[in-house]
Amino acid sequence: MDTPGASRRMAAALLGWVALSVVLPGAAHLRAGWRRTGITLLCCHLTVLVCVAGVLAGADAGLAARALNWLAQMSLVAGVCAAAWFCLVVHSFMVLRPGRLRPSAQIVTGALAGVLAVTVAAPFAITARYLTVSRRTIDSVFSSQEGAGRPGDPWGGRRRVNVLLLGGDWDEGRVGIRTDSVNVASVDVETGDTVLLGLPRNLEHILFPPGSPMALRFPYGFQLPESKPGWREDLLYSVWQYADDHPELFGGRHHMGAETLKQTVGHILGLRIDWYALVNIWGFAKIIDALGGLVLTVDRDIVFGRYDEGVVRAGTRRLSGTEALWYARSRTGSDDFNRMRRQRCVFGALLQQADPATVLSRFTQLAAVARRIVRTDIPRPMLEHLVPLALRAKHARVTSLQFVPPLISTVYPDWDRIRLLTDQAIKDPAPPAPRRHQVSPDPSPAVAPIGEGCAAV
């Protein structure tokens, strides 16, 4: 007899078998008498699980990096899985003959089965979306040219790779690019040990590589007449834009700023610069806003703005993207070396506070920002080698050498001393030291672990 209690038990059992089919595909089909279909689904599912477990057991950073080359295929597989799991849940519900239930029970169980189908398919659909966005972002940001190196040796026999890390200020309302932040990351390809070499933006009398077009134009160093009293445009931060503005120096070739700055910084440090990565400092604020702000300890009020109309108050609190940007860039009552130290603090805090959950929840927004604010000549094929290297560097020794006064004069730099100190820092980096807990107003040591002197919130 079909009593209300019996109908509820049948409905509960039906939903239970459907739910079991989510983790054991084919269970509902076996229960309904579809033995061949049920066994086939179950065997396929177990085979896939064994294969995935085997892959994960042998997975390493190299496999994860190589997966970057398969993003399109992985996105397609994730989309197929979303559709397949949705259809599996729906079909599992149908083979259990919900028509035997009372009309009200059919509506309820059908609705719950539909919710379950969407819930199961959603993670695969979201994964497919993230993989598609990742592929588009990588294709947009990284160069399509082939990477250098011999077969089996992506580094071409080199023991270290050197990447020029730049912060620029290009914007729709500004003309040209000024590289306000100039650093080189020199990474040991075996251990991941990294030395960060920082050059002041206001370095004067820049010497260019002998025989280069810029050296022929400026044989005695980079010197230009003042554009207005006290306004210099012949400093390190202007090299990129000057090269872009004078294609006649390069046989009519345009957009030579990046290559010129790579060669120039390499000549200054006595290193071969392999690639560069330029981040738009103005767009950097959008990344911080997308992450929900940045918690920093500000040791004193930082005044900013063309007319000193803004202030970042002292204290520990969450800064917006604009506040964090001005904290890092303000020159009022400060100098370039304090700015360099504050910029390191902001970058360090961002790395510490960008938790995976926040990044995933705002992934699409962050990817869209990244496509607009990042430029690099790193070849896309090199990513599968650079990602494992970056992971090694994250857990290796990272030290910093900043070429700032009194170590180096920015007006009359001792180029031989810069190259000597660079060579020493790479061969014998400074030992680790404990972090400080807030930004110090006193000059930080020239050689220190990265993060030294920065807020730790």
Side-chain angles (χ1 to χ4, degrees), residues 4 20 23-25 64 72 95 118 125 132 185 222 243 260 272 287 292 329 367 406 449:
L20 182 61
V23 293
L24 287 176
V95 299
V118 172
T132 299
F222 193 31
T260 299
R272 165 184 167 174
I287 289 182
R329 287 178 53 82

Side-chain angles (χ1 to χ4, degrees), residues 79-362:
V80 170
C81 287
W85 238 258
F86 181 89
C87 293
L88 171 69
V89 172
V90 172
H91 198 258
S92 297
F93 175 75
M94 297 303 298
V95 299
L96 290 170
R97 295 180 294 168
R100 296 175 300 160
L101 302 176
R102 291 186 172 188
S104 58
Q106 292 181 38
I107 295 173
V108 172
T109 55
L112 291 176
V115 170
L116 181 61
V118 172
T119 302
V120 171
F124 294 100
I126 293 173
T127 299
R129 166 95 175 136
Y130 281 1
L131 290 171
T132 299
V133 171
S134 299
R135 178 178 59 81
R136 290 175 180 171
T137 301
I138 290 174
D139 290 344
S140 173
V141 170
F142 292 92
S143 168
S144 60
Q145 66 184 23
E146 291 296 323
R150 300 188 296 264
D153 178 16
W155 314 117
R158 286 167 289 165
R159 179 172 166 266
R160 307 186 71 89
V161 293
N162 305 301
V163 183
L164 179 60
L165 306 175
L166 304 169
D169 62 355
W170 80 90
D171 193 33
E172 293 180 358
R174 300 172 68 92
V175 177
I177 297 176
R178 283 155 289 277
T179 52
D180 281 346
S181 176
V182 181
N183 294 274
V184 172
S186 180
V187 188
D188 187 303
V189 298
E190 294 295 331
T191 66
D193 288 347
T194 301
V195 179
L196 285 179
L197 306 162
L199 292 171
R201 68 189 290 276
N202 60 340
L203 208 58
E204 298 185 34
H205 302 98
I206 303 298
L207 294 179
F208 300 102
S212 67
M214 292 288 280
L216 296 176
R217 170 66 64 90
F218 302 102
Y220 304 107
F222 193 31
Q223 297 183 54
L224 296 170
E226 293 183 348
S227 56
K228 57 183 179 181
W231 193 268
R232 303 290 302 276
E233 291 290 348
D234 51 6
L235 308 177
L236 180 60
Y237 75 86
S238 296
V239 169
W240 178 308
Q241 190 57 44
Y242 187 90
D244 273 358
D245 288 341
H246 295 82
E248 72 278 3
L249 295 179
F250 308 94
R253 288 176 293 169
H254 292 267
H255 308 297
M256 292 297 295
E259 188 61 30
T260 299
L261 188 57
K262 282 170 56 180
Q263 294 176 2
T264 302
V265 171
H267 180 62
I268 292 173
L269 299 175
L271 298 174
R272 165 184 167 174
I273 304 298
D274 297 290
W275 306 291
Y276 82 92
L278 172 66
V279 177
N280 185 327
I281 295 176
W282 297 103
F284 187 72
K286 297 178 181 178
I287 289 182
I288 294 177
D289 284 333
L291 292 173
L294 204 61
V295 178
L296 281 176
T297 295
V298 182
D299 66 310
R300 62 180 179 85
D301 289 353
I302 302 295
V303 178
F304 65 85
R306 178 170 296 182
Y307 304 104
D308 298 342
E309 66 271 20
V311 60
V312 179
R313 297 292 180 187
T316 300
R317 65 182 184 283
R318 186 174 298 276
L319 303 182
S320 67
T322 299
E323 289 174 324
L325 181 64
W326 280 116
Y327 168 76
R329 287 178 53 82
S330 176
R331 295 190 186 94
T332 304
S334 183
D335 56 32
D336 281 330
F337 313 117
N338 274 302
R339 291 176 74 235
M340 291 170 66
R341 184 163 57 252
R342 294 200 305 270
Q343 287 168 8
R344 294 199 302 274
C345 291
V346 170
F347 284 122
L350 180 63
L351 291 174
Q352 291 177 10
Q353 297 173 36
D355 62 279
T358 302
V359 172
L360 283 175
S361 65
R362 306 179 184 186

Side-chain angles (χ1 to χ4, degrees), residues 7-32:
S7 181
R8 284 194 295 269
R9 286 191 295 271
M10 289 178 60
L14 185 148
L15 288 174
W17 282 105
V18 172
L20 182 61
S21 295
V22 172
V23 293
L24 287 176
H29 292 77
L30 289 172
R31 178 69 178 85

